[in-house]
């Protein structure tokens, strides 16, 4: 459905656990919790007590968001520009650093779907059910050639890039708090999100669920 799947989300770094969230909240009454149990092996560092699980649910339900701002994740993402353009709109609690084609003039890579979705019948945004086959390989070849011709003619990369289309891959580091990524996933894991963008959000969702199971369950809007 999404064509040649070069869209990638790599987890680069992570700070904190569910216990970080609990203790950021418990400090207000000068208390500190510890793990109830430490499971052997696996990805989860520890299991919270029932009281700490309840605290996390309470915080999320009543929008006490700041304890969820102390834990964070860093991703390295590769996706086409039209996907990046949608995701970069999420700003609060997130930091973004992206490759620049002012400095890089490598051969561009393009996202080429192997089938196209039709225009939807009953809505202005999104896609319809019909599948359309349309080959753009030769168009992409022409674009690539024009870009390279401009560089050969000694045009500056910052200008030559003007001919590159929205389906060109870009990559960026994206760091943010648990709270910020919950806002991203609550909006972008939904079906009204473009499929290619939803794919990136679903990968982020998967990592967050794995690393912060209790907090993530409490913050995510699964409706
Ligand atoms: C399905 C869909 C379609 C969209 N279509 C379009 C479109 O056509 N055009 C377009 O430009 N964007 C569009 N967007 C982007 C959308 O308008 C938001 O910019 C984007 O979803 C980021 O939202 P956010 O709440 O994560 O923003 P952030 O900027 O990360 O803000 C986080 C939260 O902080 C608060 N906040 C941030 N800034 C302010 C402020 N200035 N004043 C008060 N409170 C603030 C808000 O509560 C906000 O929810 C679309 C998004 C979706 C999900």
């Amino acid at each position: 459905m999404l064509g040649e799947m070069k869209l990638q989300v790599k987890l680069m770094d992570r700070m904190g656990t569910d216990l970080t969230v609990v203790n950021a909240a418990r400090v207000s009454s000068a208390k500190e919790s510890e793990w109830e149990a430490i499971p052997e092996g696996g990805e989860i560092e520890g299991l919270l007590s029932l009281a700490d699980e309840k605290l996390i649910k309470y915080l999320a339900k009543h929008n006490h968001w700041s304890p969820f701002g102390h834990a964070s994740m860093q991703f390295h993402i590769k996706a086409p520009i039209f996907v990046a353009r949608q995701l970069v709109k999420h700003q609060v609690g997130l930091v973004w650093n992206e490759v620049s084609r002012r400095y890089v003039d490598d051969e561009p890579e393009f996202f080429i779907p192997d089938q196209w979705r039709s225009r939807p019948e009953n809505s202005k945004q999104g896609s319809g059910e019909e599948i359309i086959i349309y080959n753009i390989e030769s168009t992409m070849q022409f674009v690539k050639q024009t870009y390279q011709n401009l560089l050969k003619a000694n045009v500056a990369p910052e200008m030559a890039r003007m001919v590159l289309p929205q389906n060109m891959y870009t990559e960026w580091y994206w760091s943010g708090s648990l709270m910020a990524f919950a806002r991203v996933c609550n909006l972008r894991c939904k079906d009204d999100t473009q499929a290619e963008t939803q794919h990136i959000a679903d990968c982020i969702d998967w990592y967050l669920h794995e690393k912060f199971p209790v907090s993530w369950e409490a913050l995510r809007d699964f409706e």
Side-chain angles (χ1 to χ4, degrees), residues 1-127:
M1 190 69 175
L2 297 183
E4 203 187 334
M5 265 295 199
K6 284 191 182 165
L7 295 93
Q8 279 172 12
V9 178
K10 271 194 230 163
L11 175 62
M12 303 306 291
D13 216 342
R14 183 268 298 250
M15 188 177 84
T17 61
D18 280 328
L19 194 58
T20 311
V21 177
V22 167
N23 284 328
R26 292 230 181 268
V27 73
S28 53
S29 46
K31 297 244 166 58
E32 191 173 39
S33 287
E34 290 188 2
W35 294 118
E36 171 105 326
I38 310 277
E40 276 182 33
E43 287 292 324
I44 300 172
E45 285 84 348
L47 296 173
L48 294 179
S49 67
L50 211 53
D52 286 341
E53 280 196 24
K54 273 190 186 163
L55 173 64
I56 286 184
K57 283 180 193 156
Y58 177 88
L59 294 169
K61 186 173 175 199
H62 296 280
N63 203 21
H64 293 305
W65 66 270
S66 56
F68 300 103
H70 292 275
S72 61
M73 298 283 257
Q74 183 188 58
F75 297 103
H76 183 182
I77 301 178
K78 180 173 171 181
I81 284 181
F82 66 88
V83 169
R85 189 71 177 74
Q86 291 184 325
L87 292 175
V88 77
K89 298 281 295 192
H90 301 278
Q91 292 278 313
V92 175
L94 295 154
V95 183
W96 179 293
N97 281 94
E98 185 172 356
V99 63
S100 169
R101 279 209 168 254
R102 296 187 76 200
Y103 313 126
V104 170
D105 61 3
D106 299 349
E107 184 173 303
E109 271 186 281
F110 301 118
F111 172 79
I112 302 181
D114 36 38
Q115 52 191 29
W116 301 81
R117 302 182 293 272
S118 61
R119 184 190 287 264
E121 277 176 20
N122 302 319
S123 133
K124 281 187 189 158
Q125 68 175 13
S127 300

Side-chain angles (χ1 to χ4, degrees), residues 14 20 27 29-30 33 60 83 88 105 131 138 145 159 166 183 189 191 196 202 207 222:
R14 183 268 298 250
T20 311
V27 73
S29 46
S33 287
V83 169
V88 77
D105 61 3
I131 295 303
S138 58
Q145 194 57 58
M159 290 198 78
Q166 289 193 33
R183 198 178 295 114
C189 293
D191 286 344
E196 292 80 7
D202 285 344
Y207 280 118
F222 290 108

Side-chain angles (χ1 to χ4, degrees), residues 159-206:
M159 290 198 78
R161 66 177 172 172
M162 291 178 197
V163 299
L164 298 173
Q166 289 193 33
N167 66 336
M168 183 185 71
Y169 278 100
T170 184
E171 54 187 287
W172 69 97
Y173 271 64
W174 207 16
S175 303
S177 71
L178 201 53
M179 187 64 223
F181 280 122
R183 198 178 295 114
V184 171
C185 290
N186 283 338
L187 284 169
R188 301 294 185 176
C189 293
K190 287 196 175 146
D191 286 344
D192 61 355
T193 295
Q194 177 156 3
E196 292 80 7
T197 304
Q198 197 184 333
H199 174 73
I200 299 291
D202 285 344
C203 294
I204 291 173
D205 184 52
W206 187 87

Side-chain angles (χ1 to χ4, degrees), residues 141-160:
Q141 207 47 48
F142 178 71
V143 163
K144 214 183 269 186
Q145 194 57 58
T146 307
Y147 177 67
Q148 274 152 4
N149 289 347
L150 285 164
L151 293 175
K152 266 190 218 139
N154 205 30
V155 169
E158 68 176 11
M159 290 198 78

